[in-house]
Amino acid sequence: MITVMGAGAFGTALAVSMARVRPVRLWAHDAAHIAEMQRTARNERRLPGVPLGENMTFCSELETVSKQDIILLAVPMQRLRAVLEAHQGAFGQAQLVACCKGMELSTGQGPIGIIQEVCPKATAAILTGPSFAADIAKGLPTALTLACGDNAAGPTLQQSLTTPNLRLYRTSDTTGAELGGALKNVMAIGAGVVMGAALGDSARAALMTRGFAEMTRMAEAVGAEPETLAGLSGFGDLVLTCTSDQSRNYRFGLSLGRNEGFDPSVTVEGAATARAVHAKARALGLEMPITAAITGLIAGELQVEQAMDMLLSRPLKEE
């Protein structure tokens, strides 16, 4: 059995895709939301206009699962630990696949580290890469990275989670996969700021390129493989989220660049992650000036003109 925990847009889209080929259970903490989806076969709150498949069932409670069960954790990054702690008695030796991207603000940990800490008997994996919920739900072709440090469990998960429109590439480099997904959200905010402030496509291309250099720098510093960052979970996701207003992080950056307000009910994973990444970079002694500038903008400590001057006045060097 595959269970998707989290009935937001992305979790619902994954459940819809999986349900085309196998039974899927969709969990949400809100019992009223579950009742609404059961009644209407829709999730109009989070993914309007998409019919929920006949293979889908819904629940707000989770009974004990077996070690053969796959749990997709499609909850916001900053809530992942709380969800795991609330259900750790049920998970046991289940296969837990994080579908969120970012760093925990309080600890600087990624999803894999949190799973291993809270549920040490479970198999930990992460599903990440360039993907929008709307595309997945519509059955459009999407390629993702599945990272699992257990080389026996990884191929089984890859087979189980592949659908007609989801093609999964496997890696054992969980550190690189989760860092790529976390850091690209920070750069997507920066790309949105550039475009919102009308600094131009050339400036966005420069930010993406130098931002990718920062992503690789941090990943290598913590033992990740640079090839992982050059793949779907790093470069691929960076391109998508820095160039499309379907990205919440990019839209949040647009609002910063335009000096406009942003809907506080919309989850922007990159905002908290930027602070966590900036703190981690300082602890590691890493130079990450773009991350520092974006963090300052989010905190209201910098204006766009100040951030731009700070970056453009840095010493000249070889690429």
Side-chain angles (χ1 to χ4, degrees):
M1 168 68 75
I2 292 177
T3 298
V4 180
M5 295 191 70
F10 195 69
T12 304
L14 286 174
V16 168
S17 181
M18 302 287 168
R20 293 189 177 112
V21 292
R22 60 182 62 85
V24 176
R25 179 171 49 190
L26 181 61
W27 172 94
H29 68 87
D30 184 347
H33 190 192
I34 289 296
E36 182 181 306
M37 289 189 288
Q38 288 174 326
R39 185 178 68 256
T40 65
R42 295 283 193 279
N43 185 357
E44 294 299 323
R45 295 191 192 185
R46 300 300 183 190
L47 196 65
V50 176
L52 304 182
E54 293 181 0
N55 274 341
M56 291 177 63
T57 56
F58 309 91
C59 68
S60 57
E61 301 291 336
L62 200 64
E63 67 274 13
T64 301
V65 297
S66 75
K67 68 184 211 176
Q68 284 78 38
D69 283 335
I70 299 171
I71 313 294
L72 301 184
L73 300 163
V75 298
M77 179 64 211
Q78 304 306 321
R79 288 192 56 235
L80 176 61
R81 183 182 295 275
V83 170
L84 289 173
E85 288 175 345
H87 298 279
Q88 62 186 141
F91 289 150
Q93 300 180 58
Q95 302 174 82
L96 303 181
V97 183
C99 302
C100 48
K101 303 170 183 178
M103 279 188 189
E104 189 174 45
L105 185 55
S106 59
T107 66
Q109 286 184 303
I112 294 291
I114 297 171
I115 292 172
Q116 291 173 335
E117 184 177 307
V118 180
C119 302
K121 294 182 180 180
T123 298
I126 184 168
L127 186 65
T128 184
S131 51
F132 288 139
D135 293 345
I136 293 174
K138 292 173 184 174
L140 299 177
T142 304
L144 299 173
T145 295
L146 175 72
C148 182
D150 185 330
N151 289 324
T156 302
L157 282 170
Q158 183 182 30
Q159 287 290 333
S160 298
L161 298 177
T162 293
T163 74
N165 70 301
L166 289 181
R167 177 176 174 82
L168 307 189
Y169 290 83
R170 191 177 74 253
T171 179
S172 60
D173 181 15
T174 55
T175 301
E178 66 181 2
L179 274 179
L183 298 174
K184 64 87 189 177
N185 279 340
V186 180
M187 301 308 162
I189 293 174
V193 170
V194 166
M195 300 310 289
L199 300 179
D201 287 318
S202 298
R204 174 167 55 179
L207 181 137
M208 289 171 64
T209 305
R210 298 311 305 162
F212 182 68
E214 289 191 13
M215 292 168 59
T216 305
R217 194 177 305 143
M218 173 166 276
E220 289 180 318
V222 296
E225 297 293 333
E227 292 84 359
T228 305
L229 272 291
L232 291 164
S233 61
F235 179 74
D237 217 352
L238 179 72
V239 170
L240 183 70
T241 52
C242 287
T243 58
S244 173
D245 60 9
Q246 287 192 67
S247 164
R248 290 170 294 182
N249 293 284
Y250 179 75
R251 295 200 310 272
F252 176 68
L254 283 173
S255 70
L256 284 177
R258 294 167 178 163
N259 198 28
E260 298 174 347
F262 191 77
D263 184 352
S265 69
V266 176
T267 301
V268 181
E269 296 284 21
T273 295
R275 294 165 59 194
V277 171
H278 184 48
K280 192 177 188 75
R282 286 187 297 178
L284 292 170
L286 291 177
E287 194 175 27
M288 297 183 68
I290 294 175
T291 299
I294 294 167
T295 303
L297 287 167
I298 293 169
E301 298 167 354
L302 290 175
Q303 298 301 311
V304 174
E305 295 78 9
Q306 294 172 306
M308 184 174 63
D309 289 344
M310 185 176 78
L311 293 173
L312 291 178
S313 64
R314 288 174 50 77
L316 299 176
K317 62 178 183 178
E318 291 185 359
E319 187 170 24

